Amino acid sequence: MKIMVIGGGGREHAVIKKIKLNKTVEKIYALPGNGGMADDAVCVDIAATDVENICKFASENEVDFAIVTPDDPLVLGCVDELEKIGVKCFGPRKNAAIIEGSKVFSKNLMKKYGIPTAKYEVFEDENEALKYLETAPIPTVIKADGLALGKGVIIAQTLDEAKQAVVSIMRDKQFGKSGDRIVIEEFLEGPEVSVLSFTDSKTVVPMVSSMDHKRAGDGDTGLNTGGMGTVAPNPYYTDEVAKECMEKIFLPTVDAMNKEGRSFKGCLYFGLMITKDGPKVIEYNCRFGDPETQVVLPLLESDLLDIMVAVRDEKLSEAEVKFSEKNACCVVLASKGYPVKYEKGFEITIPDDVRENVFVAGAKLSDGKLLTNGGRVLGVTAVADSLEEAIEKSYEMASGINFENRFYRSDIGQKALNAKG
Ligand code: AMP
Ligand code: GLY
C-alpha cells in the first residue's frame, strides 16, 4: 500500500513510525513532513492546508490510503475532497470535524445530549458579552469559537482580564473570524486527562490515557504552549473514572454525532477534567493530540494501519486494539524563547541509539545537516515498566540530544508520580 500522511509535526512522525511496521506498506509520503522524518517517509513540499494539491498528489501517485492528522485540513474538508476522488481516508469528514472546529457547536451538542461539561453562554455581540461578565463568577473562561492555533482559550482571573479577552477576541479580532462568536464558561477545577479514542461511529475504543504539560515552565508556570511533554497512562484515569467516561461521555458523544447526521470516523480526542462532580469535557479534538500521540502510540501493541483501515471500513469491532501495560514519558525539546520568540537554524545532533525514540517536529534538512526550524523541535519518548523509569530514561535520552538554545522542562511526569503516591 502507498500511504499518505498529512501534517508535519512530532505527532505525524509518531504515526509514521508505527505505520511503517505494517508489512503491506510500500511507501509513505508525508505532506509536508519535515527534515527530521526523512528516514521514515518521503517528504513532499505541499502544505497540510493545500487541499487542492493534496488531492492532485494523491491521484498522480496512486495513494491507497490517506491519514489526515491536523485540525485545519480536517475542518477544511480534506477527507471529503479525497473521498470524492476515490482515496480512502482515516479522519473525520468536514461535517464531523466541526466538533473541534466550533466550540459553540460542541458546547450546544453537549447541552442537547446531556454530556457533562462546564456551564456556558454563547455571545455574538461584544456589548452583551461585556454586560454578562459584570455578574459572571470569576475566574471565568473565554473561548473563541473557531480554531486559534491552540491559543483561543483565556482563563481570566479578574473581571478586567475577562473584559480585555472579550475585546481582543471580538473587537480586535486577535484570532480573525474564529472570534466572531465566543463561549464564556464556568471555571472548572481538577486534574486533566487526555483520552484519544478510535471510533468508526459504531464502536468507540479508548486508547491508553495520557497527561499533557501545556505550560512552558516547571511547576506549570509560564505561557501556554502546544505541549511540553506527556506521560501515559494518566494515574487520575482510574478504572472507575474510565467506566463513567464511557457511559456518560464517550458513547453519548458518538451517538449524538450520529443523531445529528454527522457520524464521526477517526480519532476522537476527549480533553477531560476530573472534577469533584465527576469527569467533564473541557474540549473535543477531531484528531490525535500532540504530544499525546508520542506516548500513546509507542504503547500500542496492535497494528495501527489495520486499525485505521478498520475504522474507515466501519469494522472497528473486529479489529484488535491492544495496549501494553507499560508506562511512557515524552520530553519535548524546544528552542529557548518558545512560545514567543526564538532563533532557528542550529544544528541538531541525535545519538544513533536514541533515533528510534525521537519524534521530530520543527526541523529541516540543509546540506545533509538537520537544523532547528521551529519552537518545539522534537520529542523523545521512553517506554518502561514503571513511570519513574520511563521519566528517567526519557531525560537521559533528552540530555544526549544537542542543539544551541535547547530548552526543556525538567518536571515532566512529576505530577503523575506524586498522584501515584
Ligand atoms: P483548550 O484549548 O480547550 O484545550 O483549553 C486549554 C486549557 O485551558 C485546557 O487544557 C484547560 O487547562 C484550560 N481550560 C479550558 N476550559 C476550562 C474550564 N472551563 N475550566 C478550567 N480550565 C479550563
Ligand atoms: N495536546 C493538546 C492538543 O493536541 O490539542
Side-chain angles (χ1 to χ4, degrees):
M1 281 220 277
K2 288 189 194 142
I3 313 286
M4 173 171 90
V5 176
I6 310 301
R11 162 186 59 196
E12 284 74 16
H13 200 183
V15 167
I16 287 167
K17 282 194 175 189
K18 211 72 195 176
I19 293 292
K20 238 177 87 173
L21 304 175
N22 181 296
K23 292 203 169 59
T24 67
V25 171
E26 301 156 44
K27 198 148 202 174
I28 306 177
Y29 298 106
L31 282 64
N34 73 63
M37 50 175 95
D39 288 344
D40 299 303
V42 178
C43 298
V44 182
D45 192 17
I46 294 175
T49 48
D50 185 354
V51 176
E52 197 182 324
N53 280 310
I54 289 170
C55 290
K56 202 161 155 243
F57 180 87
S59 58
E60 281 172 9
N61 292 278
E62 297 173 345
V63 167
D64 299 297
F65 196 73
I67 300 165
V68 186
T69 0
D71 49 4
D72 26 11
L74 288 166
V75 170
L76 281 170
C78 189
V79 167
D80 308 54
E81 296 308 312
L82 284 165
E83 283 179 346
K84 273 187 206 158
I85 57 163
V87 179
K88 294 177 181 169
C89 296
F90 177 86
R93 293 184 185 152
K94 184 177 180 170
N95 74 349
I98 193 173
I99 199 164
E100 174 169 5
S102 167
K103 296 219 191 283
V104 173
F105 170 85
S106 66
K107 294 298 291 190
N108 289 345
L109 184 86
M110 288 186 268
K111 187 191 247 175
K112 183 169 170 187
Y113 292 93
I115 297 165
T117 188
K119 291 195 199 79
Y120 72 102
E121 299 286 337
V122 175
F123 296 93
E124 293 182 11
D125 180 88
E126 179 194 325
N127 290 324
E128 277 180 29
L130 292 171
K131 201 167 111 202
Y132 168 81
L133 282 177
E134 296 288 348
T135 56
I138 301 289
T140 190
V141 184
I142 324 269
K143 301 185 170 183
D145 177 40
L147 295 181
L149 298 168
K151 297 191 179 109
V153 174
I154 293 151
I155 316 265
Q157 299 293 346
T158 64
L159 178 59
D160 259 4
E161 267 177 47
K163 286 180 172 173
Q164 268 172 32
V166 168
V167 168
S168 76
I169 298 174
M170 298 193 91
R171 190 186 306 168
D172 305 338
K173 298 281 174 212
Q174 187 188 358
F175 308 113
K177 285 187 74 62
S178 286
D180 286 353
R181 291 192 293 179
I182 59 166
V183 170
I184 300 184
E185 71 176 33
E186 174 197 10
F187 175 75
L188 298 177
E189 285 178 277
E192 286 185 58
V193 179
S194 306
V195 180
L196 284 59
S197 70
F198 292 110
T199 178
D200 62 355
S201 79
K202 295 176 175 165
T203 307
V204 54
V205 182
M207 301 181 218
V208 62
S209 63
S210 54
M211 183 191 282
D212 195 2
H213 298 69
K214 287 197 164 117
R215 300 292 199 93
D218 283 356
D220 292 332
T221 56
L223 292 172
N224 252 323
T225 70
M228 293 302 294
T230 33
V231 291
N234 184 323
Y236 291 104
Y237 192 70
T238 58
D239 289 348
E240 201 183 329
V241 171
K243 188 164 172 281
E244 197 175 347
C245 287
M246 183 53 101
E247 283 165 12
K248 295 188 178 155
I249 297 174
F250 305 162
L251 289 170
T253 300
V254 170
D255 212 36
M257 290 298 277
N258 287 335
K259 290 200 173 107
E260 293 294 307
R262 296 173 180 276
S263 294
F264 189 103
K265 295 194 336 183
C267 173
L268 182 53
Y269 169 128
F270 300 91
L272 306 168
M273 196 171 268
I274 316 301
T275 73
K276 61 175 178 14
D277 304 319
K280 294 192 179 180
V281 177
I282 289 283
E283 63 163 346
Y284 291 115
N285 289 331
C286 64
R287 49 166 178 91
F288 284 97
D290 190 340
E292 284 91 341
T293 307
Q294 291 91 311
V295 283
V296 169
L297 290 187
L299 294 173
L300 178 66
E301 291 179 337
S302 313
D303 187 282
L304 178 61
L305 186 60
D306 287 350
I307 297 170
M308 287 179 157
V309 170
V311 165
R312 189 263 164 201
D313 294 340
E314 297 181 16
K315 288 185 176 159
L316 179 59
S317 64
E318 295 168 27
E320 185 205 69
V321 186
K322 199 166 163 268
F323 283 88
S324 130
E325 300 281 311
K326 292 188 176 187
N327 293 260
C329 175
C330 173
V331 177
V332 170
L333 276 58
S335 305
K336 200 168 79 198
Y338 171 75
V340 185
K341 204 170 152 224
Y342 48 85
E343 290 176 65
K344 305 189 227 181
F346 300 115
E347 187 173 356
I348 307 166
T349 53
I350 306 173
D352 280 341
D353 60 341
V354 306
R355 213 166 272 277
E356 223 19 68
N357 301 61
V358 170
F359 305 112
V360 184
K364 65 170 183 191
L365 272 176
S366 175
D367 292 332
K369 287 183 182 162
L370 192 61
L371 305 180
T372 63
N373 194 36
R376 287 190 299 170
V377 175
L378 56 85
V380 57
T381 299
V383 171
D385 288 334
S386 71
L387 177 60
E388 219 161 357
E389 230 182 310
I391 295 170
E392 200 182 303
K393 274 169 82 177
S394 58
Y395 273 104
E396 207 177 288
M397 290 191 282
S399 68
I401 299 167
N402 284 304
F403 54 87
E404 220 173 300
N405 286 357
R406 180 194 70 175
F407 116 89
Y408 50 83
R409 272 181 66 161
S410 67
D411 65 343
I412 302 301
Q414 287 309 316
K415 213 164 42 179
L417 261 189
N418 295 341
K420 279 174 118 130

